[in-house]
């Protein structure tokens, strides 16, 4: 009941005119950038980090939450109209959504995506309000060994599980850990990796790193592969759904929500796996399996619901444990640290008013998402016609301005350029960006927990598994690392070189 009262207080705060304005701005920005291919919510939040320095924390996080939800929905528009997913989580939507659009049913595809996103987002946010405080209460009882094990699980999840290549994933992670070590060691007072440059004594600001890797690196990569050709956008009428469309969509919406939220809340989660599982489930349960591959509305409704439910689930470990599971959550975690707020077990106690206002604003932003996107779908389609040179020139300008605004020093611009070129090289050689950001953010915290663990155990390595939760987590890590090896051994045992469905599931985890 206390949590319900706190949520009501959060609604009272979120319904103030200023905070409602921030929510509207966030939803509009999120949807707009989600519509544009290659510009996701993570890049947008990273670009806005310097801009929000003078905003109150509640207003800034309400805007970021609107961008997050809006970006998740906006990616479905390009999937449906252009067969070009704006986010990796919208890939499955393109399979049936674009077929529906080419068959003259773009309006229905956009409508089921918008309504499914609203239903899944509302249910997911309610589950966030229910489970995040419980997880936070449980996490207060954990010691340093368990926290270090959780962070190790996050490192393994974003490298060995979510990535396509373990080697590239670990290379990116180690880069991030190295950046996190730059500066003065808080324990010994010694300089680490500063190369004799006094301006590096305080480390590299996470805002500069996020803007450089996400915004500048992506803009340079797109510019290097820019092809000038007209974009053909399928015309969009006013989104509407007939009775039969509603009948075929409501069950996929609920099943997609059931898939998305748990996967989003897991440290090894994300929206890609539940969207694929949702699509496979709808194809198997559909009364019209012959329509799949030709424009089945269930193939849009289910994955889109899974996508938005996963977005809500991602906030559970981020708020209650301080563990981001995707790029946008990682940048939002950087935003918390920008305001001197440390997400984790004590967040719901130390910053209760702010967090419940944020959760309440998620409900409001989700409703605004539906009310705004249904009538404005034709406008979002027109945004796809913006010439790419103009678009990315603007991104470069705002990235440079934002990085300079952090400390008003030219040195930050030099760091921005170097890290932007690093982001370009990472994309060129297929290194994932997320492990680097996770390493930068969680690296110093993991080091602190490791040192505390070793101090408590008087330097004994056995202290790392001195708590039952830590032992369980290390077993999970071992299983995750062993899955690809098991799949390889099964293939070798079969001797045919083919793969069984079980093998494919094991390989997907690697």
């Amino acid at each position: 009941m206390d949590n319900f009262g706190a949520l009501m207080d959060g609604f009272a705060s979120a319904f103030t005119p200023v905070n409602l304005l921030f929510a509207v701005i966030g939803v509009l920005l999120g949807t707009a950038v989600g519509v544009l291919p290659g510009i996701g919510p993570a890049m947008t939040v990273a670009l806005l980090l310097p801009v929000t320095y003078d905003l109150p924390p509640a207003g800034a996080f309400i805007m970021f939450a609107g961008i997050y939800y809006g970006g998740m929905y906006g990616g479905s528009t390009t999937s449906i109209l252009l067969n070009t997913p704006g986010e990796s989580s919208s890939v499955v939507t393109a399979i049936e959504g674009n077929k529906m659009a080419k068959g003259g049913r773009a309006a229905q595809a956009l409508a089921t995506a918008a309504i499914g996103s609203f239903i899944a987002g509302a249910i997911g946010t309610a589950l966030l309000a229910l489970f995040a405080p419980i997880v936070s209460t449980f996490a207060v009882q954990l010691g340093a060994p368990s926290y270090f094990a959780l962070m190790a699980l996050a490192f393994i999840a974003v490298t060995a599980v979510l990535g396509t290549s373990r080697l590239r994933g670990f290379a990116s992670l180690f880069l991030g850990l190295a950046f996190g070590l730059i500066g003065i060691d808080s324990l010994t007072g010694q300089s680490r990796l500063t190369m004799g440059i006094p301006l590096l004594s305080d480390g590299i600001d996470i805002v500069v790193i996020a803007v450089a890797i996400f915004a500048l690196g992506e803009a340079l990569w797109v510019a290097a592969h820019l092809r000038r050709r007209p974009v053909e956008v399928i015309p969009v009428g006013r989104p509407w759904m007939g009775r039969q469309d509603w009948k075929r969509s409501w069950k996929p919406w609920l099943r997609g929500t059931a898939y998305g939220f748990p996967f989003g809340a897991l440290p090894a989660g994300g929206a890609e796996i539940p969207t694929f599982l949702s699509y496979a489930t709808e194809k198997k349960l559909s009364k019209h399996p012959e329509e799949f591959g030709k424009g089945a509305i269930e193939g849009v409704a289910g994955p889109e619901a899974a996508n938005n439910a996963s977005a809500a689930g991602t906030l559970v470990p981020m708020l209650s444990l301080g563990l981001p599971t995707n790029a946008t959550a990682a940048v939002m975690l950087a935003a918390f640290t920008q305001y001197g707020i440390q997400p984790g077990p004590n967040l719901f106690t130390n910053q209760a008013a702010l967090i419940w206002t944020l959760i309440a604003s998620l409900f409001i932003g989700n409703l605004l998402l539906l009310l705004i996107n249904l009538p404005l779908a034709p406008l979002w389609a027109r945004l796809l016609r913006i010439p790419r040179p103009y678009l990315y020139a603007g991104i470069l300008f705002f990235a440079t301005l934002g990085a300079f605004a952090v400390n008003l020093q030219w040195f930050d611009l030099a760091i921005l350029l170097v890290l932007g070129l690093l982001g370009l090289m990472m994309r060129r050689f297929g290194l994932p960006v997320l492990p680097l950001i996770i390493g930068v953010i969680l690296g110093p915290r993991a080091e602190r927990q490791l040192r505390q663990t070793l101090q408590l155990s008087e330097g004994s390595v056995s202290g790392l598994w001195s708590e039952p939760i830590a032992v369980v987590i290390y077993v999970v890590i071992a299983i995750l690392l062993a899955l690809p090896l098991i799949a390889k051994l099964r293939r070798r045992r079969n001797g045919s070189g083919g793969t069984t469905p079980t093998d494919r599931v094991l390989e997907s985890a690697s």
Side-chain angles (χ1 to χ4, degrees):
M1 189 56 109
D2 292 340
N3 288 341
F4 180 77
L7 181 61
M8 291 301 101
D9 292 339
F11 272 110
S13 177
F15 270 118
T16 60
V18 174
N19 286 340
L20 281 176
L21 177 61
F22 285 134
V24 172
I25 293 173
V27 168
L28 287 172
L29 282 175
T31 306
V33 299
V35 164
L36 297 169
I39 308 177
M43 182 191 295
T44 308
V45 175
L47 283 171
L48 286 176
L49 277 178
V51 180
T52 57
Y53 271 147
D54 295 329
L55 292 181
F61 290 119
I62 287 172
M63 186 187 298
F64 291 151
I67 290 170
Y68 188 24
Y69 271 16
M72 288 297 177
Y73 167 76
S76 65
T77 302
T78 50
S79 297
I80 292 169
L81 299 181
L82 288 181
N83 198 28
T84 306
E87 286 284 304
S88 60
S89 55
S90 299
V91 169
V92 180
T93 304
I95 298 174
E96 301 297 331
N98 190 249
K99 296 291 184 183
M100 287 184 66
K102 289 182 177 178
R105 286 171 52 79
Q108 289 78 5
L110 289 171
T112 193
I115 297 171
S117 297
F118 168 74
I119 292 174
I123 296 175
T125 305
L127 294 174
L128 167 67
L130 176 64
F131 284 110
I134 296 175
V135 175
S136 181
T137 301
F138 167 74
V140 171
Q141 305 170 8
L142 300 180
S146 296
Y147 271 113
F148 178 76
L150 277 171
M151 293 178 190
L153 176 60
F155 293 149
I156 296 299
V158 299
T159 52
V161 177
L162 297 183
T164 57
S165 168
R166 288 187 172 195
L167 180 60
R168 293 188 179 97
F170 279 112
S172 177
L173 174 65
F174 290 144
L175 279 173
L177 293 174
F179 288 139
L181 291 175
I182 294 175
I184 301 294
D185 186 347
S186 59
L187 186 64
T188 64
Q190 294 180 337
S191 298
R192 300 190 301 189
L193 303 179
T194 59
M195 297 172 287
I197 302 175
L199 291 174
L200 287 177
S201 298
D202 292 330
I204 303 176
D205 196 292
I206 183 59
V207 175
V208 176
I209 296 176
V211 171
I213 297 297
F214 280 111
L216 192 60
E218 181 69 22
L220 293 175
W221 174 252
V222 173
H225 296 81
L226 193 62
R227 299 291 183 271
R228 293 177 179 245
R229 51 186 165 204
V231 178
E232 296 182 5
V233 182
I234 297 172
V236 181
R238 294 295 175 186
W240 62 274
M241 293 174 63
R243 180 178 299 178
Q244 190 65 20
D245 295 325
W246 281 92
K247 184 178 179 180
R248 294 177 59 178
S249 293
W250 72 271
K251 289 182 180 178
W253 290 334
L254 296 180
R255 284 192 288 260
T257 303
Y259 275 126
F261 184 83
F263 272 93
L266 290 173
E272 291 80 7
I273 296 176
T275 53
F276 276 102
L277 289 176
S278 174
Y279 180 80
T281 301
E282 299 310 323
K283 187 175 182 179
K284 184 175 182 179
L285 298 180
S286 177
K287 296 179 180 178
H288 308 277
E290 71 283 352
E291 292 187 16
F292 276 79
K294 301 177 182 177
I297 195 169
E298 297 93 337
V300 179
E304 271 304 299
N307 183 13
N308 269 52
S310 176
T314 296
L315 296 178
V316 173
M318 200 272 282
L319 294 177
S320 58
L321 299 174
L323 296 177
T325 59
N326 64 17
T328 310
V331 180
M332 288 183 69
L333 184 60
F336 274 98
T337 58
Q338 168 183 304
Y339 284 97
I341 300 171
Q342 186 63 58
N346 296 319
L347 185 63
F348 281 84
T349 302
N350 299 337
Q351 300 287 340
L354 172 64
I355 295 307
W356 286 109
T357 300
L358 172 63
I359 293 176
S361 72
L362 291 174
F363 285 102
I364 297 171
N366 200 40
L367 178 60
L368 290 173
L369 194 64
L370 180 68
L371 298 177
I372 290 174
N373 282 307
L374 281 177
L376 292 184
L379 174 62
W380 302 136
R382 292 193 185 97
L383 285 179
L384 296 170
R385 300 183 183 276
I386 295 178
R388 294 295 179 267
Y390 299 156
L391 183 64
Y392 285 95
I395 290 174
L396 290 174
F397 173 76
F398 284 108
T400 304
L401 186 64
F404 183 71
V406 174
N407 297 309
L408 297 178
Q409 292 182 346
W410 66 268
F411 185 73
D412 286 334
L413 295 182
I415 294 292
L416 179 76
L417 178 59
V418 172
L419 294 182
L421 292 174
L422 174 64
L424 173 63
M425 291 296 101
M426 291 178 67
R427 288 162 175 80
R428 167 63 181 82
F429 293 104
L431 270 67
V433 173
L434 179 57
L436 184 146
I437 298 297
I438 296 292
V440 171
I441 296 174
L442 293 186
R445 296 173 59 190
E447 180 191 17
R448 193 159 52 246
Q449 298 296 340
L450 175 61
R451 282 179 163 178
Q452 185 176 348
T453 299
L454 294 177
Q455 287 172 348
L456 292 173
S457 64
E458 298 181 350
S460 175
V461 180
S462 61
L464 294 174
W465 50 83
S466 59
E467 295 183 358
I469 298 298
V471 174
V472 173
I473 294 172
Y474 286 129
V475 170
V476 172
I477 291 175
I479 293 173
L480 292 176
L481 293 174
L483 284 176
L485 179 61
I486 295 173
K488 186 180 295 184
L489 291 176
R490 285 177 61 88
R491 286 200 309 271
R492 188 172 299 173
R493 186 182 305 167
N494 291 337
S496 60
T499 58
T500 66
T502 305
D503 294 336
R504 286 192 290 271
V505 171
L506 292 174
E507 286 180 320
S508 67
S510 65

